[in-house]
Amino acid sequence: MNKMGTIIGFTFKNKVKTKSFMITTLVLVLLLSIGMNIPYLIKVFQGDDEASAGIHVAVVAAEGSRASELLKNYASGVTTEGGATVDQYTSAEDSALKTSLDEGTLDGYIQLGAESETGLPPVTFYSPDGDMDAEVQTFLQLGLQQANAQLIAGDKLTPEQIGAMNAPVQLDTKQISTDGTAVTDEEKDEAPIINYVIVYALLMMFFMSIMMTGNMIAAEVTSEKSSRIMEILITSASPLAQMFGKVIGIFLIGMLQIAIIAAAVAANLMLPHNASILTDFDLDLGQLNVNLLIYGLVLYVLGYFLYALIYAAIGSIVSRTEDLGQAVMPITMLGLVTFYIPLFSISNADTLVVKVASYIPFTSPLSMLLRIGVGDVAFWEILVSLLILLVSIFVFGWLAAKIYRTGVLMYGKRPTIKEIRKAMKAYKI
Amino acid sequence: MEALKLDGVVKQFGEKTAVNRISLSVEPGEIYGLLGANGAGKTTTMRMVLGLIYPDDGKILYSGKAFNSELQQIMGYLPEERGLYPKVKVSDQIIYLARLRGMSSSDADKSLRYWLDRFDVPDYYNKKVEELSKGNQQKMGFIAAVVHKPRLLILDEAFSGLDPVNVELLKDTVRELRDQGTSILFSTHRMEHVEELCRHITIMDRSNTVVQGDIREIKKGYPREEVLLRTSSEVSGLETLPGVTGVQRQERGYLLTISEIAAAQRILQQAVGQSEVEHFEIKEPTLNQIFIKVVGGESNE
């Protein structure tokens, strides 16, 4: 329809130019960019310390201390950046030790007491600032533990055996099938971690986008009503064309925003220093589920229209912008429920609540997205859910158009449901 | 055929009747005046004509046809509360409204520029509506109503809130549109505008049609009750003439109220006998007087 195109164009053009849209988008992009670069930024700020990196501790112990020897041996095996060194001094009053501490070439020193058959006595770490780096702590903890084990075992165990003793036990889980045998790997397909990340990101993005664009639509309709331009508009184009024109125009705004944000995320990931983020988190873009993204888009579009139509209808009932906040409250609540059900179930997507929610029109877009992404869902289930969603869009679209046609000409106090129903009967759409 | 014809149109809001059986017809190229006090039902009538609300009873015909969506292209409407987007540029929104009414962008732009030049404000093209004064916003509203060259124009209180210069400007414009064949339904409560512009009027009072027809015919139906007399020197004894109910001294003469037309002749004779008559006029009732008599009189009962 020609008029609808005009309305879509006008809505889009005017919204894109608004300061609120530009600022929100800019802030989102900025926050995301900062967030994604935080690990790198931290590295940059700590870079100076780590340049002289490595663990440098001193041991104050009697000449020929075995524990000290063992710790030195352990240090030579440490492969972290900068390596680790252990220097031995016989007294804490040693001047060489003092200068090293003052110059900062030493992180600190430990004092070792006499050794016995029952292992090491308690060890105290002394440092200029009175605390211990996490790195130093790990080093000392592991090194001293191994030294301790070696001391107790004496020559009965080789260092390799001691090392093996200290290695953590591997604990795996496997699901039992109904006949009691373990399920083979092929049957149990665990969703890759990247799916969780994507589902999480999509949930956040869709929720924010739908709420924001929904409120935009309601505010737009109410302001047209309160400025009385609505009377001219209604005499120029059918209310149905206006409502859908507006909903689609703002839909394009939402899509534009999502595209900008996605581009910002992609650009940040491309930065050379961020290349390691994905691998650090054990994410592989090759595992990226294209199906999930497509389903996500479909669900987003359908969910958007359902909410947008309701927001448009609410906007049409309210006469003044000040009353709008109160009027959209119920639908905002519904939006929150829709968002939090899948969010709280992200680690366990197959609960009954999520299953039920994935069929109810308003909650289904996000809950179904969760199930598709990280849960167990059959194709027919997705189909049924989409069908229910589609049908309800038509039902609510028709209802919203009726309310819209009636509401836009009702001024004064907010009409009661009874009044709306009565007036609705009078109008053809 | 009438450009617009209302036949026994009724509108009720709940228990209250807003418009009770109004009938009127507007010829092509005619300005039709719809008068009434506040809340008389003028705006409701106009909204029914626009198809914003539907009449409960009666018929509204446009060139003989019932309401249809094609009318959107040939109707123009200036609502009482000026409807424009406050934060959108004048050019953007007027072209948008014109396009909704079926005009092409370039035609709309041309038409808008013509009207801005006509009102001598071409620099408003790029201004936002909220930056304009109230009177100028109203001019923009008027342009929005006529930019698509409507054949049926509905003006609800078009001149309220304008200074005299702009009222004259808009009046000339409205007359020009009429001469081009536009039918105009015009509501106001300023009688002097109606007397200048309209041939036919309807006066509404609390939902009912109380007076309707050709202004001259209506005036003939009301007795002439005032005589204006201007003489070179004083005239005495006017109060005692039969049929004279009141004498009011004015700056350069007298304004007399009479109960019968014959009294006017007696006044003239009396005046001629005593002084030189410079001006003598049996005034016809103004619409204002008729309106007050019809509307104000009833509400006093």
Side-chain angles (χ1 to χ4, degrees):
Chain A
M1 224 196 319
N2 202 0
K3 280 184 184 176
M4 198 141 108
T6 309
I7 297 168
I8 293 171
F10 183 78
T11 310
F12 183 80
K13 221 174 88 192
N14 276 311
K15 271 290 153 198
V16 163
K17 281 193 284 186
T18 56
K19 286 197 188 74
S20 63
F21 173 76
M22 289 198 240
I23 291 172
T24 326
T25 313
L26 203 68
V27 166
L28 280 174
V29 166
L30 264 174
L31 283 179
L32 266 172
S33 302
I34 292 173
M36 290 182 68
N37 284 307
I38 275 180
Y40 174 71
L41 290 176
I42 288 177
K43 234 193 224 166
V44 168
F45 285 125
Q46 289 186 339
D48 292 16
D49 303 350
E50 291 194 20
S52 66
I55 300 153
H56 307 286
V57 290
V59 177
V60 176
E63 200 70 45
S65 160
R66 226 169 108 56
S68 166
E69 281 305 307
L70 290 167
L71 198 59
K72 275 186 196 166
N73 282 345
Y74 177 75
S76 64
V78 169
T79 53
T80 54
E81 204 182 338
T85 58
V86 175
D87 303 323
Q88 194 183 348
Y89 297 92
T90 46
S91 159
E93 301 302 316
D94 194 296
S95 58
L97 172 63
K98 288 219 152 126
T99 26
S100 300
L101 283 172
D102 287 345
E103 284 169 2
T105 50
L106 269 184
D107 293 324
Y109 65 89
I110 52 170
Q111 197 134 27
L112 286 178
E115 296 144 15
S116 69
E117 287 295 300
T118 52
L120 286 173
V123 177
T124 314
F125 181 77
Y126 300 90
S127 70
D129 53 4
D131 49 44
M132 189 162 19
D133 267 12
E135 270 185 328
V136 174
Q137 183 167 18
T138 320
F139 167 75
L140 285 176
Q141 192 92 50
L142 292 173
L144 290 171
Q145 199 164 345
Q146 240 177 66
N148 195 25
Q150 195 85 58
L151 282 176
I152 295 166
D155 296 331
K156 282 168 238 147
L157 293 175
T158 62
E160 287 75 32
Q161 283 172 316
I162 301 282
M165 263 171 66
N166 284 322
V169 175
Q170 202 140 8
L171 185 64
D172 287 336
T173 52
K174 253 183 197 174
Q175 192 187 5
I176 329 167
S177 69
T178 39
D179 58 4
T181 58
V183 183
T184 56
D185 279 349
E186 291 82 50
E187 284 177 61
K188 162 104 180 151
D189 54 12
E190 189 61 47
I193 295 171
I194 192 155
N195 274 17
Y196 285 92
V197 176
I198 286 177
V199 164
Y200 195 82
L202 289 184
L203 283 183
M204 295 290 273
M205 204 152 78
F206 288 1
F207 173 72
M208 280 181 58
S209 170
I210 286 175
M211 289 292 122
M212 225 164 66
T213 48
N215 276 301
M216 238 187 233
I217 289 173
E220 183 89 352
V221 175
T222 306
S223 76
E224 276 180 3
K225 207 180 146 182
S226 66
S227 70
R228 309 275 168 149
I229 196 166
M230 193 58 98
E231 293 187 18
I232 297 177
L233 292 175
I234 294 265
T235 57
S236 314
S238 80
L240 201 66
Q242 282 182 50
M243 191 177 79
F244 278 99
K246 198 150 294 163
V247 165
I248 294 171
I250 296 208
F251 168 71
L252 295 179
I253 292 278
M255 288 304 269
L256 178 69
Q257 197 164 39
I258 287 181
I260 291 174
I261 288 171
V265 170
N268 272 303
L269 281 177
M270 300 286 251
L271 289 177
H273 61 258
N274 279 336
S276 61
I277 287 185
L278 289 174
T279 44
D280 281 357
F281 285 104
D282 195 18
L283 296 177
D284 180 2
L285 281 178
Q287 288 180 315
L288 193 67
N289 196 338
V290 182
N291 274 348
L292 178 59
L293 290 182
I294 291 172
Y295 277 127
L297 190 68
V298 171
L299 286 166
Y300 168 72
V301 172
L302 294 180
Y304 166 80
F305 274 98
L306 188 57
Y307 276 91
L309 289 168
I310 302 292
Y311 271 107
I314 290 174
S316 74
I317 297 171
V318 180
S319 309
R320 292 178 308 155
T321 324
E322 302 94 89
D323 297 337
L324 190 60
Q326 202 191 353
V328 297
M329 188 71 115
I331 188 80
T332 307
M333 294 297 232
L334 192 57
L336 284 173
V337 170
T338 304
F339 176 59
Y340 278 115
I341 289 177
L343 194 68
F344 286 150
S345 312
I346 199 156
S347 54
N348 186 9
D350 294 319
T351 57
L352 187 65
V353 182
V354 177
K355 274 186 184 156
V356 172
S358 68
Y359 292 107
I360 299 170
F362 284 92
T363 56
S364 68
L366 296 189
S367 289
M368 198 33 115
L369 180 67
L370 177 77
R371 291 186 63 194
I372 295 172
V374 299
D376 240 346
V377 65
F379 182 64
W380 67 266
E381 288 184 291
I382 302 176
L383 222 55
V384 169
S385 171
L386 286 179
L387 208 64
I388 293 176
L389 196 56
L390 211 58
V391 169
S392 43
I393 286 174
F394 279 106
V395 172
F396 281 100
W398 174 82
L399 195 70
K402 272 267 193 190
I403 294 175
Y404 192 89
R405 176 67 179 92
T406 315
V408 288
L409 291 173
M410 284 186 147
Y411 286 102
K413 72 173 180 65
R414 216 160 74 215
T416 63
I417 291 174
K418 209 175 117 195
E419 281 169 332
I420 294 174
R421 218 174 46 209
K422 215 176 117 203
M424 265 165 62
K425 283 186 195 143
Y427 294 108
K428 303 184 282 278
I429 296 171
Chain B
M1 189 181 292
E2 302 91 348
L4 174 69
K5 187 174 167 65
L6 274 68
D7 188 8
V9 171
V10 177
K11 181 69 198 176
Q12 285 186 312
F13 293 122
E15 294 293 294
K16 193 178 165 291
T17 304
V19 174
N20 189 16
R21 310 218 154 273
I22 186 173
S23 301
L24 58 86
S25 56
V26 185
E27 300 290 329
E30 183 191 354
I31 305 174
Y32 194 101
L34 195 55
L35 315 182
N38 300 323
K42 291 175 302 211
T43 301
T44 307
T45 306
M46 292 189 151
R47 284 184 173 178
M48 283 192 281
V49 170
L50 287 161
L52 283 172
I53 49 179
Y54 304 139
D56 294 326
D57 196 11
K59 266 189 299 196
I60 302 177
L61 295 175
Y62 308 80
S63 302
K65 278 182 271 181
F67 186 83
N68 55 72
S69 57
E70 273 149 42
L71 288 169
Q72 288 170 354
Q73 312 214 355
I74 62 155
M75 280 207 286
Y77 176 40
L78 175 64
E80 193 175 351
E81 302 94 352
R82 318 295 155 215
L84 286 175
Y85 292 101
K87 292 187 189 305
V88 180
K89 273 200 295 188
V90 167
S91 54
D92 281 351
Q93 58 183 314
I94 291 184
I95 291 172
Y96 169 59
L97 291 172
R99 288 184 64 196
L100 284 184
R101 300 244 191 225
M103 236 186 176
S104 76
S105 287
S106 56
D107 284 352
D109 190 64
K110 247 181 265 164
S111 181
L112 169 63
R113 286 180 191 278
Y114 162 78
W115 280 107
L116 287 174
D117 284 341
R118 170 90 210 245
F119 287 153
D120 211 18
V121 286
D123 50 323
Y124 288 0
Y125 186 84
N126 278 320
K127 283 224 165 93
K128 285 182 180 171
V129 167
E130 61 184 357
E131 295 167 11
L132 306 180
S133 73
K134 212 175 154 237
N136 282 326
Q137 289 186 11
Q138 191 164 346
K139 278 196 224 164
M140 296 307 117
F142 184 82
I143 293 179
V146 298
V147 69
H148 58 292
K149 305 182 177 76
R151 294 222 307 275
L152 179 60
L153 182 61
I154 290 158
L155 302 174
D156 200 352
E157 301 286 352
F159 302 150
S160 67
L162 285 177
D163 62 60
V165 175
N166 280 314
V167 168
E168 282 311 313
L169 189 64
L170 277 200
K171 262 191 223 163
D172 286 345
T173 313
V174 168
R175 277 196 208 102
E176 189 187 302
L177 287 169
R178 175 196 63 193
D179 296 342
Q180 288 166 3
T182 311
S183 309
I184 300 168
L185 185 61
F186 175 89
S187 96
T188 185
H189 37 238
R190 298 288 295 276
M191 300 306 148
E192 66 271 23
H193 299 153
V194 178
E195 272 185 277
E196 283 176 53
L197 294 171
C198 308
R199 188 180 314 144
H200 294 97
I201 58 162
T202 291
I203 299 182
M204 296 180 76
D205 180 41
R206 279 165 292 163
S207 324
N208 294 300
T209 306
V210 284
V211 174
Q212 189 170 50
D214 188 307
I215 290 184
R216 275 170 299 178
E217 298 296 322
I218 292 170
K219 284 187 171 177
K220 272 184 198 157
Y222 284 84
R224 299 181 166 204
E225 293 175 325
E226 282 184 338
V227 172
L228 189 66
L229 179 66
R230 209 174 289 155
T231 53
S232 53
S233 60
E234 265 186 50
V235 181
S236 63
L238 288 172
E239 302 87 345
T240 56
L241 292 172
V244 173
T245 53
V247 178
Q248 200 186 335
R249 269 217 80 126
Q250 287 190 328
E251 197 57 43
R252 287 172 56 219
Y254 305 88
L255 181 68
L256 304 105
T257 44
I258 52 174
S259 59
E260 50 175 340
I261 196 76
Q265 298 305 319
R266 287 177 214 129
I267 293 168
L268 184 59
Q269 274 158 21
Q270 182 88 350
V272 169
Q274 291 183 25
S275 170
E276 198 176 312
V277 175
E278 291 172 345
H279 183 98
F280 178 79
E281 184 190 352
I282 307 172
K283 290 182 80 177
E284 62 174 11
T286 62
L287 260 189
N288 218 8
Q289 289 165 331
I290 295 174
F291 183 83
I292 291 171
K293 203 170 221 171
V294 180
V295 174
E298 276 182 29
S299 59
N300 286 342
E301 277 169 19

